[in-house]
Amino acid sequence: MIIVPEREIADLMTREAAFDAVEQVFASMASRDAYNFPVVREAIGHADALYGFKGGFDRAGMTLGLKAGGYWPNNLEQHGIINHQSTVFLFDPDTGKANAMVGGNLLTALRTAAASSVSIKHLARADSKIIGMIGAGHQATFQLRAALEQRSFEKVIGWNYHPEMLPNIEKVAIDAGLPFEAVSLDRMQDADVIISITSAFAPSLMADHVAPGTHIACMGTDTKGKQEVEAALLARATVFTDEIAQSISIGEAQHAIADGTLDQDQITEIGAVINGTHPGRSSDQEITLFDGTGVGLQDLAVASAVVRLAVDKGIAIEVDF
Ligand code: NAD
C-alpha cells in the first residue's frame, strides 16, 4: 500500500494535473464509464462534526475508492489544524485490496478549482476579459488562481458578504498582474465570467445582476439548503453540472427544481460538452451556468494522479498492508 501524506501534496500536484484529471473524469461520467456512489454525510453528535464519504468507480481510469472526512468547526481553535479534514482511499478494482491512502485537504481545493476551470474552458466566451468573484474565503483564492489560466482576463472584480476578506482575492489578482476592484453586486453586470464560492444559505447574486453572454460557475452550494444565486437566474440560463443527481438535491439547482422553474431534463452534464455530444454555449448572448456540486470521482481522479507522481518521484511511502 502506498501512502502520500498531506505534507507532500503541495510539491506533487499541479493545477494543470488537477485540471486534466478532473476534465477526464467528467468526460467518463458523461459516457457512463464512471459513476458516483450515493453520498453519506452525518452529524456524528461529537465535536459538532459533520463526517461522511464520497466514492465511486471509474472503469475508464480503473479508479475505485472513496474520500472520507468532513468538517470539525473547533479544530483551528482547539487543535491548531484546519476545520476541513479528509483522506482519500484507493482500492484495486480487480481484487478489492487497498492500494493507497492520500491526504485529501489540499486536493479538495485543487479539484474544486479545476472543476470551475473546466467549465470556463468549455462554456465561457473566448473573448472574456473581466472575471467577477463572489466569495473571498479559503476556496476562493484557489478558484481565482485556476480560472485566470483559462482566458486572457484583464481585470478582477469582487464582492464578499464579509468585505474585510476581499484582500485574499485581491492578492491573487495582483500576483497575476491584474487590477482588482471591490464592487457592489449589481456591478457583476460588468463580468464575462463569475465564480461564486461562499457558504451562504440565501442568494446574493440576482438574475438582473448578470449580463447576457456571461458564464457563471456556482461552486459553494454542496449541501441541502445552501444557496448562492437567485433561482430565477437558473431559469434564465443554460444549466450545466458535474452530476445531475447531486445538482438537483444538494447543488444550486435544488431551489429552481423545487419551485418548478427548472426541469431536471434541462440540466446537462459538463462531460457531454467535453465529449462533444452537447454543443455547449450556442451564442454570445446566452448565459451559461455551471452547478459544481463536487463529486467523489473528482477526489479519486486527483488522488490517483498524485499516487503516480509520488511513485515517479520516489517519495511514495510503501507499507506492507
Ligand atoms: P470559508 O469559510 O473559507 O469562506 C466562506 C465564504 O462564504 C466567505 O467568502 C464568506 O464571506 C462567505 N459567506 C459566509 N456567510 C455568508 C453569507 N451569509 N452570505 C454570503 N456569503 C457568506 O469557506 P471555503 O472553504 O472557502 O468554502 C466555501 C464554500 O464552498 C462552502 O460552502 C463549502 O462547503 C463549499 N465547497 C464546495 C466544494 C465543491 O466541490 N463544490 C468543495 C469545497 C468546498
Side-chain angles (χ1 to χ4, degrees):
M1 184 190 199
I2 285 172
I3 297 175
V4 188
E6 184 67 43
R7 64 173 183 273
E8 304 286 3
I9 307 292
D11 287 337
L12 284 171
M13 197 61 180
T14 61
R15 282 194 295 280
E16 294 73 20
F19 183 98
D20 291 345
V22 168
E23 187 180 47
Q24 209 164 42
V25 83
F26 282 167
S28 297
M29 282 164 57
S31 57
R32 304 293 172 245
D33 284 324
Y35 73 107
N36 293 287
F37 307 153
V39 175
V40 173
R41 200 162 163 87
E42 294 285 323
I44 59 171
H46 177 76
D48 295 327
L50 278 176
Y51 173 72
F53 316 108
K54 280 186 167 185
F57 176 44
D58 176 5
R59 190 182 299 278
M62 286 303 271
T63 312
L64 173 70
L66 59 90
K67 177 168 83 170
Y71 188 70
W72 277 258
N74 309 315
N75 269 3
L76 199 56
E77 241 170 59
Q78 294 177 4
H79 305 288
I81 58 173
I82 63 170
N83 295 349
H84 283 103
Q85 290 292 327
S86 64
T87 306
V88 181
F89 298 89
L90 299 174
F91 298 84
D92 181 343
D94 293 323
T95 62
K97 192 175 183 309
N99 268 345
M101 182 167 107
V102 182
N105 296 346
L106 177 58
L107 282 184
T108 298
L110 290 171
R111 66 78 146 147
T112 307
S116 63
S117 266
V118 166
S119 84
I120 293 168
K121 172 182 167 185
H122 291 279
L123 296 171
R125 293 192 337 271
D127 64 352
S128 297
K129 295 285 179 247
I130 299 182
I131 182 163
M133 292 296 301
I134 295 176
H138 181 69
Q139 302 291 335
T141 56
F142 289 88
Q143 291 282 321
L144 180 57
R145 215 170 278 131
L148 291 178
E149 286 161 358
Q150 294 306 318
R151 291 291 185 270
S152 302
F153 290 109
E154 293 174 356
K155 182 175 178 180
V156 180
I157 60 176
W159 177 89
N160 194 45
Y161 186 75
H162 302 102
E164 68 278 10
M165 293 170 79
L166 282 171
N168 293 339
I169 52 171
E170 179 173 19
K171 181 175 183 316
V172 176
I174 288 168
D175 287 350
L178 296 180
F180 175 83
E181 187 185 357
V183 297
S184 55
L185 277 166
D186 57 349
R187 283 279 311 286
M188 284 292 153
Q189 289 258 9
D190 296 357
D192 304 297
V193 171
I194 300 171
I195 297 176
S196 63
I197 181 85
T198 70
S199 47
F201 281 81
S204 304
L205 189 72
M206 299 297 160
D208 65 7
H209 292 153
V210 176
T214 305
H215 173 65
I216 308 145
C218 298
M219 303 304 297
T221 298
D222 57 358
T223 303
K224 199 166 170 48
K226 283 187 185 172
Q227 184 173 13
E228 300 191 281
V229 309
E230 190 183 16
L233 181 55
L234 281 87
R236 210 183 138 199
T238 308
V239 180
F240 299 83
T241 188
D242 41 23
E243 192 194 73
I244 289 170
Q246 287 197 183
S247 172
I248 62 172
S249 56
I250 58 170
E252 197 61 44
Q254 61 180 289
H255 308 286
I257 292 284
D259 74 14
T261 50
L262 187 73
D263 204 66
Q264 175 170 336
D265 60 20
Q266 291 173 291
I267 308 175
T268 303
E269 286 187 6
I270 185 87
V273 183
I274 299 166
N275 286 335
T277 55
H278 186 284
R281 167 176 292 280
S282 61
S283 84
D284 280 354
Q285 295 300 302
E286 185 179 21
I287 295 174
T288 53
L289 185 147
F290 174 67
D291 184 6
T293 64
V295 293
L297 282 169
Q298 280 171 262
D299 298 300
L300 306 190
V302 289
S304 142
V306 154
V307 169
R308 281 194 299 273
L309 289 164
V311 170
D312 287 352
K313 293 194 171 174
I315 58 162
I317 300 169
E318 265 195 87
V319 292
D320 193 12
F321 179 75

